[in-house]
Amino acid sequence: MSGARHTFGRMPLAAIGVIGLLLAATPVLARDGASADSAMQALERTIAFPGTAWGVDARTGQVVVTVDGTVKGAQLASVRSAVQRLGTTARLEFAAGTFHLDITGGDAIYGSRYRCSLGFNVTKGSAHYFLTAGHCGKAEPQWWTSASHTTFLGNTTGATFPGKDYAIVQYASTYTSYPSSVGSQSITSAANAFVGEAVTRRGSTTGVHTGTVTALNVTVHYQSGGTVRGLIQTTVCAEPGDSGGPLYAGTKALGLTSGGSGDCKSGGTTFFQPVIPALSAYGVTIP
């Protein structure tokens, strides 16, 4: 998917060769006493166009406004003006590239047109499922373990995008391997991320990469279309095909890869759909 860089999207099979944590009920207060929630509402009214994102850095109480490389000229001037009006309530940052939409966890899953990544294996009673990105689930009703479609994984039974970015796939009765792990890392619980937390992401395009959480409750306007709210912003890199892959810290599941900018050669900004809202939406649990 092209695009604020599109959700690390679904990677077209032809190209293969073959991304809510909610803030606490009490509003975060910026250093000048203004509510971060109010500041984000003001941004939504004035600069809600593709290539923009904003969320809260709980360590400073500031709203972090991030723009990708496509925000130029009059649009960039509008962003600068909006941030300046908020004073010390907000700060402006720049991300290289464009925000675009980007299976154990992080392995490749293949639809009829796109490749994404498996997030976390989950259960509901005796039934087994896995989570992935909503923009992947919206595009593909069925998933296989390879581009040749020799081993069927299962059917997409729910997907939400835009707004949120999560989907769920029920494993086929013929598929019986669903470990609660990301690669060799065991996953035993789900948790909320926090700013400054050291995190790891695994995906089918770029493998394992690490970084830190820089903001929470982030609203992203993707270039390819679709606004997603309540995301986790990080310094972890990702690329197309990594979408849906897991974000975790040790044994804790944190999120699902949604999208971002940059790549794993030069670095970038990546956004993740928090996993707890996805678990709640589908009534499933980490095994």
Side-chain angles (χ1 to χ4, degrees):
M1 252 179 135
S2 60
R5 206 169 154 203
H6 53 37
T7 49
F8 274 125
R10 322 173 303 214
M11 176 172 278
L13 295 187
I16 303 171
V18 80
I19 225 163
L21 279 182
L22 301 178
L23 294 177
T26 303
V28 177
L29 296 180
R31 289 174 296 183
D32 64 358
S35 164
D37 289 341
S38 297
M40 290 194 291
Q41 291 171 10
L43 294 169
E44 190 70 47
R45 292 191 298 268
T46 57
I47 60 167
F49 44 79
T52 58
W54 48 81
V56 176
D57 180 346
R59 296 173 300 182
T60 63
Q62 284 183 303
V63 173
V64 182
V65 180
T66 307
V67 296
D68 71 15
T70 68
V71 180
K72 302 175 181 179
Q75 286 188 333
L76 180 56
S78 295
V79 173
R80 290 187 185 278
S81 178
V83 173
Q84 289 172 355
R85 287 196 298 272
L86 293 172
T88 57
T89 306
R91 71 176 187 266
L92 178 62
E93 296 185 353
F94 297 85
T98 60
F99 294 152
H100 58 266
L101 295 170
D102 294 337
I103 174 172
T104 60
D107 286 345
I109 56 174
Y110 295 81
S112 59
R113 296 175 296 158
Y114 299 106
R115 169 169 62 81
C116 286
S117 298
L118 186 150
F120 298 100
N121 284 319
V122 294
T123 60
K124 185 175 185 180
S126 60
H128 292 268
Y129 303 80
F130 66 79
L131 299 175
T132 188
H135 66 274
C136 293
K138 282 280 189 177
E140 296 285 1
Q142 296 183 309
W143 298 95
W144 289 263
T145 60
S146 67
S148 60
H149 291 180
T150 53
T151 303
F152 182 55
L153 278 172
N155 297 307
T156 300
T157 58
T160 298
F161 180 84
K164 301 297 182 183
D165 196 5
Y166 48 67
I168 188 167
V169 177
Q170 183 169 13
Y171 277 106
S173 59
T174 53
Y175 197 86
T176 59
S177 177
Y178 14 73
S180 180
S181 62
V182 174
S184 61
Q185 174 63 62
S186 175
I187 301 296
T188 61
S189 64
N192 290 329
F194 58 86
V195 174
E197 184 173 16
V199 292
T200 303
R201 174 201 61 74
R202 185 171 188 257
S204 63
T205 299
T206 58
V208 177
H209 289 273
T210 60
T212 58
V213 175
T214 56
L216 303 176
N217 197 28
V218 177
T219 296
V220 182
H221 300 280
Y222 286 115
Q223 289 287 1
S224 54
T227 294
V228 184
R229 306 177 191 282
L231 299 182
I232 305 164
Q233 183 170 332
T234 74
T235 62
V236 188
C237 70
E239 296 179 11
D242 287 330
S243 278
L247 179 74
Y248 54 100
T251 62
K252 301 180 298 180
L254 300 177
L256 305 165
T257 306
S258 177
S261 67
D263 55 42
C264 289
K265 293 181 179 179
S266 60
T269 297
T270 303
F271 305 102
F272 296 85
Q273 164 65 53
V275 72
I276 288 180
L279 296 173
S280 298
Y282 299 125
V284 294
T285 59
I286 299 291

